[in-house]
Amino acid sequence: QVQLVQSGGGLVQPGGSLRLSCTISGVTLTYYSIAWFRQAPGKEREGISCITNNNSTYYENVVKGRFAVSRDNARNTVYLQMNSLKPEDTAVYYCSTTALCSGGYYLTIRDWETWGQGTQVTVPS
């Protein structure tokens, strides 16, 4: 059974940094692409970044240049490094398996994919 377990997150001042982790279990990460989403209070869940099994990365404009996604297959873990955080980055962040990153495929929420439990990131204004 595939599971994603997230860690990291918390409270950080504007301009600060945080790193989120997403560890897969039950399978090896090597063959999986992983997407990152976030859901702010009162808003829909939105895709923000994706990394393929071949290490290609994708970013949406709201995080491009500030966030960086990476993977460590030996640790079965994907990371989301978040820098220059802003109050509008406040949200619950989720990782998810995805069949594809390209063409905006990963931006669509698919219930049959495996999701992490979510982790709160708070950047006070």
Side-chain angles (χ1 to χ4, degrees):
Q1 181 180 358
V2 180
Q3 286 189 314
L4 295 176
V5 177
Q6 297 180 228
S7 60
L11 176 69
V12 63
Q13 294 301 311
S17 298
L18 281 175
R19 188 177 77 163
L20 306 183
S21 300
C22 175
T23 300
I24 198 168
S25 63
V27 293
T28 180
L29 177 64
T30 305
Y31 305 109
Y32 283 80
S33 298
I34 299 293
W36 286 95
F37 291 78
R38 68 185 183 184
Q39 187 165 17
K43 295 189 176 181
E44 294 186 352
R45 193 172 299 188
E46 63 173 352
I48 57 172
S49 183
C50 193
I51 185 165
T52 70
N53 56 341
N54 292 324
N55 230 20
S56 295
T57 57
Y58 296 76
Y59 302 95
E60 298 308 301
N61 287 337
V62 290
V63 303
K64 193 174 295 182
R66 299 188 298 123
F67 291 12
V69 61
S70 62
R71 62 193 295 147
D72 183 341
N73 288 341
R75 296 181 182 270
N76 270 350
T77 299
V78 171
Y79 303 99
L80 184 68
Q81 177 67 41
M82 305 184 296
N83 301 322
S84 302
L85 282 161
K86 306 174 182 180
E88 50 264 44
D89 294 318
T90 295
V92 178
Y93 285 70
Y94 299 89
C95 59
S96 168
T97 56
T98 181
L100 293 171
C101 291
S102 61
Y105 179 92
Y106 79 93
L107 297 174
T108 299
I109 295 171
R110 294 177 171 84
D111 292 339
W112 63 82
E113 296 287 2
T114 300
W115 290 81
Q117 80 277 19
T119 186
Q120 177 71 46
V121 171
T122 302
V123 187
S125 55

